[in-house]
Amino acid sequence: MASFDVAGIVQALHGARSDWRESQKRSREPGGREFPSREAVGGIVESLKGALFPMRLGPPDLRQESEDFYVAHTLDAALHALLAQARLELRYSARREGNGELDAQIDAKAQALVHSFASALPAIRRLLDSDVVAAYRGDPAARSVDEVLLCYPGVLAMIHHRVAHQLYRLELPLLARIVAELAHSQTGIDLHPGAAIGAGFFIDHGTGVVIGETAVIGERVRVYQAVTLGAKRFPTDDDGHLHKGLPRHPIVEDDVVIYAGATILGRVTLGKGAVIGGNVWLTHDVPAGGNVTQAVSREASATRAAP
Amino acid sequence: MASFDVAGIVQALHGARSDWRESQKRSREPGGREFPSREAVGGIVESLKGALFPMRLGPPDLRQESEDFYVAHTLDAALHALLAQARLELRYSARREGNGELDAQIDAKAQALVHSFASALPAIRRLLDSDVVAAYRGDPAARSVDEVLLCYPGVLAMIHHRVAHQLYRLELPLLARIVAELAHSQTGIDLHPGAAIGAGFFIDHGTGVVIGETAVIGERVRVYQAVTLGAKRFPTDDDGHLHKGLPRHPIVEDDVVIYAGATILGRVTLGKGAVIGGNVWLTHDVPAGGNVTQAVSREASATRAAP
Amino acid sequence: MASFDVAGIVQALHGARSDWRESQKRSREPGGREFPSREAVGGIVESLKGALFPMRLGPPDLRQESEDFYVAHTLDAALHALLAQARLELRYSARREGNGELDAQIDAKAQALVHSFASALPAIRRLLDSDVVAAYRGDPAARSVDEVLLCYPGVLAMIHHRVAHQLYRLELPLLARIVAELAHSQTGIDLHPGAAIGAGFFIDHGTGVVIGETAVIGERVRVYQAVTLGAKRFPTDDDGHLHKGLPRHPIVEDDVVIYAGATILGRVTLGKGAVIGGNVWLTHDVPAGGNVTQAVSREASATRAAP
Amino acid sequence: MASFDVAGIVQALHGARSDWRESQKRSREPGGREFPSREAVGGIVESLKGALFPMRLGPPDLRQESEDFYVAHTLDAALHALLAQARLELRYSARREGNGELDAQIDAKAQALVHSFASALPAIRRLLDSDVVAAYRGDPAARSVDEVLLCYPGVLAMIHHRVAHQLYRLELPLLARIVAELAHSQTGIDLHPGAAIGAGFFIDHGTGVVIGETAVIGERVRVYQAVTLGAKRFPTDDDGHLHKGLPRHPIVEDDVVIYAGATILGRVTLGKGAVIGGNVWLTHDVPAGGNVTQAVSREASATRAAP
Amino acid sequence: MASFDVAGIVQALHGARSDWRESQKRSREPGGREFPSREAVGGIVESLKGALFPMRLGPPDLRQESEDFYVAHTLDAALHALLAQARLELRYSARREGNGELDAQIDAKAQALVHSFASALPAIRRLLDSDVVAAYRGDPAARSVDEVLLCYPGVLAMIHHRVAHQLYRLELPLLARIVAELAHSQTGIDLHPGAAIGAGFFIDHGTGVVIGETAVIGERVRVYQAVTLGAKRFPTDDDGHLHKGLPRHPIVEDDVVIYAGATILGRVTLGKGAVIGGNVWLTHDVPAGGNVTQAVSREASATRAAP
Amino acid sequence: MASFDVAGIVQALHGARSDWRESQKRSREPGGREFPSREAVGGIVESLKGALFPMRLGPPDLRQESEDFYVAHTLDAALHALLAQARLELRYSARREGNGELDAQIDAKAQALVHSFASALPAIRRLLDSDVVAAYRGDPAARSVDEVLLCYPGVLAMIHHRVAHQLYRLELPLLARIVAELAHSQTGIDLHPGAAIGAGFFIDHGTGVVIGETAVIGERVRVYQAVTLGAKRFPTDDDGHLHKGLPRHPIVEDDVVIYAGATILGRVTLGKGAVIGGNVWLTHDVPAGGNVTQAVSREASATRAAP
């Protein structure tokens, strides 16, 4: 008969949890988990997609003359759901920081943040329209703006990013992170919510793209798969702790193109209109209009194989 | 009390949509969305997988003596569902091109296309069998062809690709694209439906592989993760518009192996049996049997760190 | 009227299946599919996640004082479900190898394997705690260990890996593979279940990471996106068959850091504390404390574009 | 091995279907089923319930200040879904009657009918409010109007009935029937959509109540479980065909009470304020204020049982 | 904080279960529940409905030219699922009776029973067609045979009954019972699977109808709501145990009509063409053509109420 | 184009709601619905069923040696879910009665009530065991206690009733009502939660049974379908308001049997061992051992029909 000493394993797992909690100096958590929910945030993002693009990403049976009804109801529900998640994040932060913030203060703050978030949505829609146009113009295989909106992983990543970036700016970094990771998982594109990205941004193919927290990107920039805009090794203080929050990722000015696999590290600046070739490894500035390619010596040598 | 001026935001979003529609010269769309559905296409592909490999990808309780019943019913339903999606794509194209095609003409055309698609399925199954065998032979970790079929992302990507390529050849590029992106999202492998790929193709690991629209690949070719078969910068005409549809991706002949991270760009030819080393960056032809590795100077230098 | 000659296609597909089965020397499979199920294994892994981290990955309404009840019930159900899948794998292997093992023997063996697996869970939890701490310490953008556990794809990949590795050691390679591929699909991180990985392992960003079957990794190692720990070309015997199971992937000692895009191939050793730069291509040993960067000549040349 | 001669049974079932179709003089039905869908109608009714009672039967997270958004969107979607079902019913009728009505005519008619239906909704809500109040007043066990609305099967039956009756009046008898049967199945209360029922109607307990097509019921009427307002044996014409559509069920005036199990048959009139006792069998008129009880002789005789 | 002494209650419930098992002389049940599953049987019945009436109760997108594919696949799956449930019932019976039947014997028997069941399906379809026609002819409110098939609870009950009766005849009484109770719950019509019912049976309204195990009903019989064909008090033997299995319910010959609420008890015979009035209580035979109504004295007396 | 003046109807519905709220003297409800949820209560009851009968009504893959784990986890979750619903009911009551109870008081009270409820569960299980045995003994068609537990609607109704009655006694009448109505809808058996019912109660067939709030039923009582234990007309005070809460339903002593369709009204007593015949109408006491049948005159007269 199958018998696995479940009781013994349960006890050992209990011990492991206790040790962890002690090591983390955690008090007990009465009353259940209090942490934003990935599922809830996922639902909110789906609703926001529908509210932003009702005839394309809303329900299939929507008709144009009823768009506003749908948008109003969906937005209202999504914003209140977001309010609940924002409260969870703010309370979680308050508990961790022990800053003694009262629930009422937190609720008022959550309310104000979601209000700001809501006001930003029309501008987000206009930015996303510019991204869609950029993708359509930038890919010779694209047949219509609708195809781009519905099929391109880079556009999906940008819808998530523009929502996540707004949450990040409003100091809801955890919600922002969840929104970003939902897109990362679907697309392989890893955009930190902190990255500031201008209008008309186009990511082609996208798998493996990584853009860091303090990156600043201008308008009409185009990047291909596996491009990294990263940090160099992190500065640490005398105790070996990481300095957090310092600008450490590249600045990319308007109209720059970065081909597949290029890696640009540190707080360097790529000047307006610069073109960075594929697989280039770059840790210094590039002037406006500059054109960076790999050094000749990197060309591979081809030899006929022995018979 | 929470109150977010939903009415105001709805109005602003309405304005953003109006501006977009005007910029795109869109007429109103009475009667709801008319565009192929990602969910519907996803369902069709799942059905086709079951019809192609009933005892492995069909329902878990299927028995071998009933395979044909299952295949017949599933195929019949999937083909009619595909017919509906094909109509949506053709009508969408006709509307955009304003070519005055009548619904009856479109329906007849959709019918003919799906008929052709259906006829190609047995050949697709045989090609996929060759891909499964190739994966089994090419990976020392593979224990059985069943494991390969059920677990390998490269095989999943090829099932989608061989279906998508057939749709692409039948001039249903949008359906083809959706089929391809469904696999891209699950595997990180981005195969353009236009790429022509011979029998016995094996993609190992796969994340980050990108193969472009006009690539042509022979038989028994093997590629590893993060390989790109891409285009060089796109040619533009005098007005700066991209030339679309020109052959711009590599030709890869039989028995070529391309190791991880290699990037091959432009309409170059890799001759029969050539081997391309990892991370190689290549923009010219390689003769049959050629062996391309990175130049020596790219070898990294190792030094002992100071104490 | 739509009519697709379904009967004809069914017959042709039947022929393709017959040819395949003949080519594979398959006897008929009476009584339905006998193969582990991806859905079932996925459900088991979700249950194990809940049992390992009840207040974070268990049901949202769980409270701390009831954790053990939940863990006991969930674990019990998951282990018995795993037992059923283990039986399927062992029977499948026995059938393929024709080793005449009896069902009763197989059942006893499955029982023993799952018993061992269960006993290892507390140690797995402690290892995963070390991974969470490593991620928190290693990423300047991380705000809390909870965020790391809930949001970081690298942590998700390691939960799957530590479960999969245990299954692999117990000689259930197919179940192990399915567990690994479930994470691969969600994260783009491809960790072979055979890889032996020490405590405190951190994968940042992660998309495109590939770690091979015989890799051995020490404690407190850190890797970034697109790092490959792979094999060189596979040795074949005189008949051209691959040698399977030989050690062929790198050994990485404690405290090594490997930056994004680095490729390390073959049974080389990276000594304790070594640092491997981004995009480095490496096929030889590095001494302890060694610091490997790309050769200077690989620096790209920047020139101002002609007006 | 299990083998059930499925092919033989399929053929026999095919024969049975052919015989049926021949007996029914059915032509072939190309293009699939064209008949209103029970599932679709069920979804429409659920939406209408939410639109009629948003804070009680709408989504649990609705808040009062957003009611109108929810109502507008839900109603819009429900009415268009109803339009689709109305078209199906009208086309089905036209096909059966062979009246040569064109699709365009049918669509215009469906449009007009649903328009009328929509206009009647506010009046339906007011009637239902009167029913809720009547139930609250009529049942000593009722604690609040909310309990009545949410828990009483009689109220559920009346919500369905008032919707179904409106559909019936608009000559969509099939949709009306489906709406009624959905409530019948949940409550055991069988109200024919044709029955005309005044405000403030209360059905207590309800199981087994049957009210026929041509019944006419005044205001503030109360009935208990297992009451039948039925027809006497149906009149037939000389050929033995049933006369359809004749008034054949009772007229019940205002303020009548009918206790459990009473059966009232035929086009009789129960005058204002009449009280009909339990289990009474009645086939003639009762004057206003009349009080009908069972004849004395029906009292049961009680005898002490032999030891 | 909420704390409910769950451990104590669990122990007390454990005690209650132990006492029960002891009182029932139950041995332990290793290996989990072995009993037919209501959910599984429900799924089988839904499949059989689709196989019997593919264009009406099968999938909404089925087309007539593909019916046989659908029927074959669905039937095949349903019969094998039924085989599994039949095995569970037979094993359960064997365990309870301790008759030492071997699993192999049971499996062979299950196989034979399901084979017989399958062969009966075409005849069941023809009987159900006769029921549909009977309902259409018998109800002045019926507009089409399709409406009858899709909306009438009496027809739903008969579909379940004719399946259940076949299972009952094949000595699978538990499966038969589950099939019957599924309909009972939806319709309020309680037909014991043992009842033998001829062609063209029509139950109008239906709620409260009860027909007992040994009832025998001829052709073209019609019954209304709340009709009971029951047993008189059960005969017991000297020890007070019930005699099981004796004929104890009425025989109803062809063309009988029984109006609402009539109760007929015991092994009486209603002769061909008899008509039984509403609410009649009957415990003796009625000759062919007989017409039974309530005695005059039962007419209720109506008096004007005092002011 | 379809256009239904949704805005106008929304406004009219808004008006209807305003009128209703004014008529009910409702203040606004900020913050959403606060009322127990039928879905939530349904989920709780399903969990309790599993906790009470784990091997029969719990998950299908449960094994006997793990019962307690399952019971503990399920019970814990169900009790906390019940606590949440109890709070909603108590707050709703406090709001309606305006009794100024504070949330903290309400929470403490809810806690205490659910604690009491939990303690009663083992006794409820023992009572239900007695009901199962009674059904098995009382029905000649029953083959095993398992069949009875899994298939008999009367047993389902009693599981719900014994839970509901405990909630009723703890003054959670709304939750009790919801539990009861869930069974009413599935079985057609309407047991008011207030009814006090002794051990070994058996309801056969059950459709149409109604038992009122203040009924008191002894041990080993048996009732058949359509039996009513009801109140006579309700007493009203001088203002015409109903007296609520008075004993107004029958007392049924031990070992009574009541056959189908009998109606017993008012606070009468049926003495120990009495037998009440089918369809009897009874409004006075019956002595112990009494045997009540219908008066002779009610026998129907049978006449041969004219040829």
Side-chain angles (χ1 to χ4, degrees), chain B residues 269-293:
Chain B
T269 296
L270 308 186
K272 180 173 163 59
V275 177
I276 311 299
N279 275 17
V280 162
W281 174 268
L282 193 67
T283 59
H284 54 61
D285 288 357
V286 175
N291 196 328
V292 181
T293 56

Side-chain angles (χ1 to χ4, degrees), chain B residues 92-122:
Chain B
Y92 174 80
S93 299
R95 267 203 318 278
R96 292 194 68 248
E97 297 168 11
N99 63 7
E101 222 170 352
L102 298 179
D103 273 10
Q105 290 174 296
I106 285 174
D107 286 2
K109 189 171 165 191
Q111 180 83 16
L113 294 180
V114 176
H115 185 89
S116 291
F117 175 82
S119 309
L121 284 170

Side-chain angles (χ1 to χ4, degrees), chain D residues 26 29 33-36 85-99 106 174, chain E residues 56 143-148 150:
Chain D
R26 302 233 159 172
E29 291 176 90
R33 192 193 303 175
E34 292 239 329
F35 201 80
Q85 296 297 314
R87 276 194 194 116
L88 285 172
E89 172 162 0
L90 294 176
R91 285 183 197 179
Y92 174 80
S93 298
R95 265 203 320 276
R96 292 194 69 246
E97 297 168 12
N99 64 7
I106 285 174
L174 197 45
Chain E
R56 288 293 172 266
R143 277 170 189 78
S144 74
V145 288
D146 294 318
E147 179 187 358
V148 162
L150 287 160

Side-chain angles (χ1 to χ4, degrees), chain A residues 13 23 25 35 51 99-100 104 128 147 153 177 183 214 229 236 238 250 276 288 305:
Chain A
L13 285 168
S23 79
K25 301 193 176 29
F35 201 81
N99 63 7
L128 289 169
E147 179 188 359
R177 181 91 190 198
T214 65
L229 303 182
T236 51
D238 294 349
I276 312 300

Side-chain angles (χ1 to χ4, degrees), chain B residues 59 61-63 65-66 69-74 76-77 80-81, chain E residues 59 61-63 65-66 69-74 76-77 80-81:
Chain B
D61 57 353
L62 192 65
R63 289 152 321 94
E65 60 268 39
S66 315
F69 296 143
Y70 164 75
V71 172
H73 168 53
T74 302
D76 186 76
H80 283 86
Chain E
D61 56 354
L62 191 66
R63 289 154 318 94
E65 60 268 37
S66 315
F69 296 143
Y70 165 76
V71 172
H73 168 54
T74 302
D76 186 77
H80 282 86

